[in-house]
Amino acid sequence: MSDDLAQKTEELSLESKTVFDTKEEFTAKHPLNNRWTLWYTKPQTNKSENWHDLLKPVITFSSVEEFWGIYNSIPPANQLPLKSDYHLFKEGIRPEWEDDQNAKGGKWQFSFTRKHEVTPIINELWLRGLLAVIGETIEDDENEVNGIVLNIRKQAFRVGIWTKDCDDSKLKTVGERLKKILQLKDEQKVEFWSHDASNTKGAEAQIIL
């Protein structure tokens, strides 16, 4: 060890209080404003399986610490199989259009083509989306966001934010912040589709930002 490094080591101080000082502080949890459920849609293995067979709840959590424990225990986005999905929704809301909390709403969405330069960063972007949703920084006081979805498809990764309704005045903030979270350029557009329009042939996006 050099004299300089030895001197710096001796000058280190552990006087500052940390969470390690007491059992109570070390085990403290930081609660979220809502409880959240992680869902997973597995790829279909035979034609007899329907959507309800494939969609399963994984776990529900209510604190920052629980979130990190779950996130670090599940496969990252870029390692999920094709035709699978992650869904993170407020507890009590199923990630289905038919759910009462989703029925009158829609989704902001962007698709990343599966190019080599996109694949490594999809994990980071998905994490940033998750944190914005559970931290409720994806919106102000609109209380519109029900959940976030990641679709793994052959041609693209799709990230979507699901909302309670289709009121333009409540949706703009969510769309603008999704663009920032996904690090999109000005010319890259996010689109809002009502769930009804998504099921209608020839329908167009309600909002494009």
Side-chain angles (χ1 to χ4, degrees):
M1 182 182 292
S2 68
D3 292 340
D4 182 56
L5 181 57
Q7 178 65 31
K8 290 181 179 179
T9 303
E10 291 175 2
E11 292 173 356
L12 288 175
S13 172
L14 295 179
E15 292 179 359
S16 298
K17 192 173 181 62
T18 72
V19 295
F20 295 100
D21 291 315
T22 67
K23 178 181 178 181
E24 290 75 16
E25 292 186 27
F26 182 68
T27 58
K29 289 186 178 181
H30 297 80
L32 300 169
N33 288 336
N34 286 284
R35 291 173 60 84
W36 297 86
T37 300
L38 176 68
W39 300 72
Y40 176 65
T41 308
K42 68 177 184 178
Q44 187 181 47
T45 56
N46 63 71
K47 294 183 179 180
S48 66
E49 292 178 314
N50 60 35
W51 170 255
H52 296 286
D53 296 324
L54 303 174
L55 175 65
K56 300 294 182 182
V58 178
I59 194 168
T60 298
F61 62 92
S62 59
S63 72
V64 174
E65 290 77 7
E66 289 171 332
F67 166 78
W68 284 114
I70 294 164
Y71 180 81
N72 290 323
S73 300
I74 60 176
N78 67 345
Q79 291 183 15
L80 291 180
L82 292 178
K83 298 185 179 180
S84 65
D85 312 296
Y86 273 149
H87 320 256
L88 185 71
F89 276 69
K90 290 177 180 175
E91 184 182 33
I93 303 178
R94 291 181 63 87
E96 300 174 319
W97 298 345
E98 300 87 351
D99 188 283
D100 289 343
Q101 295 293 315
N102 296 322
K104 296 180 180 180
K107 61 183 175 183
W108 281 105
Q109 184 171 277
F110 186 82
S111 296
F112 293 94
T113 57
R114 293 173 65 91
K115 295 179 180 178
H116 175 72
E117 64 269 19
V118 173
T119 301
I121 66 168
I122 193 63
N123 296 341
E124 176 188 341
L125 298 182
W126 173 236
L127 175 58
R128 291 176 65 184
L130 292 172
L131 293 175
V133 169
I134 66 171
E136 301 183 21
T137 59
I138 190 71
E139 57 184 337
D140 290 325
D141 300 318
E142 294 85 358
N143 193 28
E144 275 296 299
V145 173
N146 285 340
I148 184 171
V149 176
L150 174 70
N151 307 123
I152 308 299
R153 299 298 181 263
K154 185 176 182 179
Q155 300 300 327
F157 298 101
R158 290 201 302 264
V159 178
I161 298 288
W162 284 37
T163 63
K164 289 182 179 179
D165 61 41
C166 297
D167 185 338
D168 287 20
S169 63
K170 297 179 180 179
L171 297 173
K172 188 175 180 182
T173 298
V174 178
E176 290 174 341
R177 292 186 184 173
L178 179 61
K179 285 195 72 168
K180 292 182 179 178
I181 289 168
L182 299 182
Q183 301 178 330
L184 302 182
K185 300 175 182 177
D186 289 342
E187 63 270 20
Q188 293 176 296
K189 305 299 182 183
V190 293
E191 298 181 341
F192 180 83
W193 293 80
S194 69
H195 294 315
D196 286 340
S198 296
N199 274 331
T200 304
K201 186 176 181 179
E204 296 183 354
Q206 179 177 323
I207 313 172
I208 301 175
L209 291 178

